[in-house]
Amino acid sequence: MGCAASVYQVGKKRKKKGIIPEVSIFVPSMRVPAQCDLQRTLKGLIPKDLADKLTSIRNQILIIAQDTDVSAIDELQKALEEYLSLLVGLTRKEFGLQELTGFKWKNLEDGQEETSVANSWFELLSVLHMMAMLTLVEANMKLIPKDIAMTERAVSGDCMRDTVDLLLKASGYLDFCVQDVLVHLPPDIKNKLPKDLHQGILEATSNQALAQGTEIQLGLALESQNATLSVKRRLACEAVSYYAQTLCCLSGDNNFHGTVKKHLLFIKWKYLEAKAAAYYYHGIIIDKGTEPSCHVSAVCCFLAAEELLTESKKASLSFCLAEPVTRTPPAWGVMKHLNKKVPETAAKKSQMYGYLLDQEKDLRVLPDLPEFQLSLKPEDYTLPEADSTWDSEKWDIPGQSLKEHLKDCEVGVETD
């Protein structure tokens, strides 16, 4: 099973081999925990029941995540949240346990290749990243019907609104990683982090979630009788800004291979689509003016939108063919509307104002898109309170000398 199939099948029943996954919401990577012996390294330092609980829940996450026949996103998320309340205690300075235990994780793309880092903040970062990726997978599932063979695609308003909520939630997890977790990792560990945990990739994925959320809001506006052209143009322009920010974050990475290359191709495709929508709605508003320059500028917008749509279809194909191979859903919502209206409007207005284009050649300049303050923000996230078992005043730990503890650790190293 390829990377994309692994990522998008987390939380689903196992699909038949050979099925190419459909992507509406891009999930850059999925990292899952690998086996590590927390009980041995924590023996004698925290109560046995606390060490057992940490190990048990972590192993539960590992088993659910790797068994795609029975795994479910809500079950995984619940286990991860429970684990977080225990993990928070390991990050507290007063316990001196931050760099004692080596935590192992692996990327589903890499198969058995593991990353091990002896830092509890790395474990916290990995857990939050996994929660964000699972939320993106859930958002993707919301937009894909059970019968994926359908040639016509319709997504209900409720599904679109639920998807926006999930995207904001995922963005919130990732924003918290950047603002409140990475700062606790020393530079030497930051430099060794897997690529999908680098600050630029985390920021890019957070911005991507906001961009796709704005794009879906535009789809909701299209179906609303109360949404004005100005609202639609604003949402389209905001999506362009979010995708531009995402491109900027990804462009800072010099290694365009694997999922990073696939991620970049996805954003380039979506950026072209968003820009086409923005120019289309900008052109309609400009065309309401009475001056010849307004009509000429409007035609320039419509022609630009048409060219951008053509380029976006090429970009979509490049994204799908890049490893791991994926497929995109049939056009629905905004893009279904634009695929029909943009060529029609460009042809009609070019013919209508052809004489102006010939007379006013100096005015044939594509106008800049207006800039707006961005509306969507990552959902606020705060870590849960540490589990009550971290109340050290109630601890009853059997005595173990430092020599005995170090001996246990040495035995563990020899057996690893």
Side-chain angles (χ1 to χ4, degrees):
M1 192 169 11
C3 158
S6 299
V7 168
Y8 290 97
Q9 284 183 15
V10 170
K12 293 184 178 181
K13 298 282 187 181
R14 188 183 297 274
K15 300 290 184 181
K16 293 180 181 179
K17 290 185 178 180
I19 294 293
I20 299 174
E22 185 175 302
V23 178
S24 285
I25 305 296
F26 185 71
V27 185
S29 63
M30 181 68 70
R31 303 179 66 256
V32 297
Q35 194 70 46
C36 61
D37 194 347
L38 297 181
Q39 287 172 311
R40 185 183 70 242
T41 53
L42 295 174
K43 183 179 179 181
L45 300 175
I46 62 175
K48 184 177 183 300
D49 61 336
L50 178 53
D52 289 346
K53 197 172 181 181
L54 273 163
T55 303
S56 174
I57 297 177
R58 194 179 194 278
N59 287 341
Q60 180 187 353
I61 295 166
L62 186 155
I63 292 168
I64 298 171
Q66 292 185 341
D67 185 1
T68 55
D69 280 326
V70 297
S71 62
I73 289 178
D74 56 351
E75 187 180 359
L76 267 173
Q77 293 283 32
K78 184 178 178 181
L80 287 163
E81 288 167 6
E82 187 178 0
Y83 182 53
L84 267 182
S85 65
L86 293 166
L87 181 59
V88 166
L90 281 178
T91 64
R92 287 183 174 176
K93 286 185 178 180
E94 61 263 34
F95 295 119
L97 305 173
Q98 291 180 334
E99 300 178 355
L100 182 67
T101 303
F103 295 98
K104 295 180 181 179
W105 286 73
K106 62 183 179 181
N107 193 312
L108 289 182
E109 178 193 13
D110 301 326
Q112 299 304 312
E113 186 175 338
E114 296 180 355
T115 300
S116 179
V117 178
N119 191 293
S120 56
W121 284 104
F122 165 77
E123 179 79 345
L124 189 68
L125 176 65
S126 298
V127 169
L128 289 171
H129 180 268
M130 185 176 183
M131 291 171 70
M133 296 304 105
L134 286 171
T135 306
L136 291 178
V137 170
E138 188 176 1
N140 188 64
M141 290 166 61
K142 286 278 184 186
L143 300 180
I144 297 176
K146 293 180 181 179
D147 182 9
I148 59 175
M150 295 170 58
T151 54
E152 288 291 322
R153 182 64 51 88
V155 181
S156 71
D158 286 342
C159 274
M160 286 195 276
R161 281 183 281 271
D162 289 344
T163 302
V164 173
D165 290 341
L166 288 167
L167 290 167
L168 296 182
K169 188 175 185 179
S171 182
Y173 288 140
L174 295 166
D175 187 63
F176 186 87
C177 288
V178 172
Q179 303 297 332
D180 297 275
V181 181
L182 282 179
V183 293
H184 293 283
L185 291 173
D188 61 319
I189 289 181
K190 282 185 186 179
N191 293 335
K192 296 177 183 177
L193 286 175
K195 186 170 293 295
D196 40 13
L197 295 182
H198 287 186
Q199 181 172 335
I201 303 299
L202 295 174
E203 289 176 339
T205 310
S206 177
N207 283 323
Q208 173 210 319
L210 298 177
Q212 294 204 259
T214 305
E215 184 182 351
I216 293 170
Q217 284 188 327
L218 177 56
L220 287 166
L222 193 65
E223 296 181 358
S224 172
Q225 294 181 347
N226 298 324
T228 64
L229 278 172
S230 295
V231 168
K232 295 171 186 175
R233 179 180 66 173
R234 175 172 183 144
L235 288 169
C237 289
E238 286 186 29
V240 171
S241 296
Y242 283 123
Y243 281 123
Q245 290 177 7
T246 306
L247 278 173
C248 184
C249 293
L250 287 175
S251 298
D253 195 304
N254 297 321
N255 186 10
F256 299 119
H257 300 288
T259 53
V260 176
K261 178 183 178 181
K262 184 89 173 174
H263 196 179
L264 185 63
L265 290 172
F266 178 81
I267 300 303
K268 285 181 176 179
W269 161 41
K270 301 303 289 183
Y271 175 72
L272 290 169
E273 283 190 345
K275 212 166 183 181
Y279 272 118
Y280 172 71
Y281 287 114
H282 190 41
I284 291 178
I285 290 175
I286 291 175
D287 197 37
K288 292 184 178 296
T290 56
E291 296 295 323
S293 60
C294 297
H295 304 310
V296 172
S297 293
V299 173
C300 289
C301 287
F302 298 137
L303 292 174
E306 186 176 34
E307 185 177 347
L308 286 162
L309 271 185
T310 301
E311 291 301 313
S312 75
K313 290 171 184 175
K314 296 177 184 176
S316 173
L317 182 60
S318 296
F319 162 73
C320 289
L321 295 178
E323 290 292 338
V325 175
T326 51
R327 59 196 182 94
T328 56
W332 61 277
V334 175
M335 293 317 300
K336 183 177 180 180
H337 176 73
L338 292 180
N339 283 338
K340 179 177 183 294
K341 296 297 291 184
V342 168
E344 287 180 358
T345 307
K348 179 181 176 182
K349 295 296 181 178
S350 295
Q351 186 176 12
M352 184 182 297
Y353 299 122
Y355 72 98
L356 282 176
L357 292 172
D358 293 334
Q359 292 175 5
E360 308 289 348
K361 292 183 179 180
D362 292 341
L363 299 177
R364 291 167 60 176
V365 178
L366 183 65
D368 292 332
L369 290 172
E371 294 185 8
F372 300 97
Q373 185 175 352
L374 300 180
S375 304
L376 288 186
K377 303 294 180 187
E379 182 179 292
D380 289 336
Y381 176 78
T382 55
L383 287 173
E385 292 292 327
D387 190 276
S388 58
T389 51
W390 281 102
D391 187 354
S392 57
E393 293 180 1
K394 300 177 182 178
W395 284 3
D396 181 18
I397 304 174
Q400 183 187 37
S401 68
L402 178 60
K403 183 177 180 181
E404 290 173 325
H405 179 74
L406 292 174
K407 184 177 180 181
D408 284 342
C409 292
E410 287 174 359
V411 171
V413 170
E414 290 173 1
T415 57
D416 281 346

